[in-house]
Structures are given as structure tokens and as C-alpha cells.
Amino acid sequence: RIVDEDRGAVVRADQFEPALGAFEMRQRREVGPGSLPVACALARNGSKITFDASTFDLRNSDAATVISLSSGLTLFDDNIGIDGSDRRVTLNGSAATSQSGFTLKNNGCRISGLTILAFPRHGIQLQAGAKNNFIGGNRGAGLGPNGQGMRLSSNGIAGVNI
């Protein structure tokens, strides 16, 4: 579900227009409308990506809350937020060939509350010139297992590379 916060309208992910600003991830597929890679690619300045409570259930600690990715994710615009602090969300990059989990080329983005594991390079890569990005936060804030904090584990080179 994508919500146009200005008009209060709900549209399907395949109807997303860059002017709309909020994504709620309701599925764990890697490809297609409504997937996290598509949301990241389409997100624009001020967009926020969150995760549906029934899909990314706090009580479900098994693979049902995992998004398996065969490539990394890139945020292309400034001031994009990805917030998993109230959910159980794991990004698994064990099928990726040579990427980092997230690559930030921009400014003012915030990623919080996720578990990012098993990417061949870094969990998060900050490119040269990327400024004022916020990774993680207070583990006591939010309902998810990491709170606003991040769990970066078993990535090939480093959890975060600056």
C-alpha cells in the first residue's frame, strides 16, 4: 500500500508516482510491484518506507519476516527514511554476488530498525559525498527486536563502510 500523505489516498504499489511519499511494504518478494527494491528505486526526496505489521510480525522470528535479495539496494534521492523499528525485518544478501546491502549516494537519509546480514561487501555503504545520513538509533525506542538500532551481521567486509 502506498499512501499519498497530502491527499490521504491509498494506491497500489504498481500505481506509484514519485510525487507520492509513503510506502508500506506488505510483501517479501524481491521483484515486482510493492517490493522493497522497487520502493527504494522510486522513493524521492521526503519519502518514507515502513513495513506492515501483519507481514513483518513481531511474534514471528522465523524466515517469514526475511526479504532475500540477490542484489543490493540504492537510495537515489535525499531525505528518504526506511523505518523497521516497530517490526521484525531482516534483509538477507546471501544470494547477492558482489554488492552491499544499501548504498547511499545522497544526503539526509535515515535507515533504522533493520537486520542486514550476509551481503558479500558491506551491510551499508556510504559513498563519497554522502552527508548527514543517520544509521540506527535508540535500541529502546520502537517495538521491534532492534528498536531503532541496526543489526549488521555476517557481511563480507564490514557492517557499515564510510
Side-chain angles (χ1 to χ4, degrees), residues 70-131:
S70 61
S71 63
L73 303 168
T74 300
L75 299 178
F76 293 101
D77 212 343
D78 294 340
N79 303 309
I80 296 171
I82 299 177
D83 184 6
S85 62
D86 288 331
R87 307 290 174 252
R88 181 179 301 278
V89 181
T90 299
L91 305 181
N92 183 331
S94 60
T97 54
S98 64
Q99 296 89 8
S100 294
F102 277 100
T103 299
L104 300 180
K105 301 178 176 188
N106 39 14
N107 304 313
C109 292
R110 179 184 182 109
I111 300 174
S112 62
L114 304 177
T115 295
I116 301 175
L117 56 89
F119 281 88
R121 296 192 49 78
H122 312 287
I124 298 173
Q125 167 72 49
L126 294 167
Q127 296 284 357
K131 298 181 283 188

Side-chain angles (χ1 to χ4, degrees), residues 45-47 51-52 59 66 69 89 91 99 113 121 126 130 136 149:
N45 192 325
S47 292
F51 299 86
D52 174 64
R59 298 166 302 206
V66 174
L69 298 168
V89 181
L91 305 181
Q99 296 89 8
R121 296 192 49 78
L126 294 167

Side-chain angles (χ1 to χ4, degrees), residues 2 5 9-10 13-15 20 26 29 35 43 50 54 56 63 67 72 104 108 121 137 139 145 149-150 158:
I2 300 171
E5 293 180 327
V10 177
D14 60 346
Q15 296 173 324
L20 303 178
R26 291 182 163 257
R29 293 186 319 249
S35 68
T50 59
S54 62
F56 298 92
I67 299 173
L104 300 180
R121 296 192 49 78
R139 285 192 172 277
M150 300 286 291

Side-chain angles (χ1 to χ4, degrees), residues 31-32 41 83 85 93 109 132 138 157 159:
V31 297
D83 184 6
S85 62
C109 292
N132 301 315
N138 180 348
I157 299 172

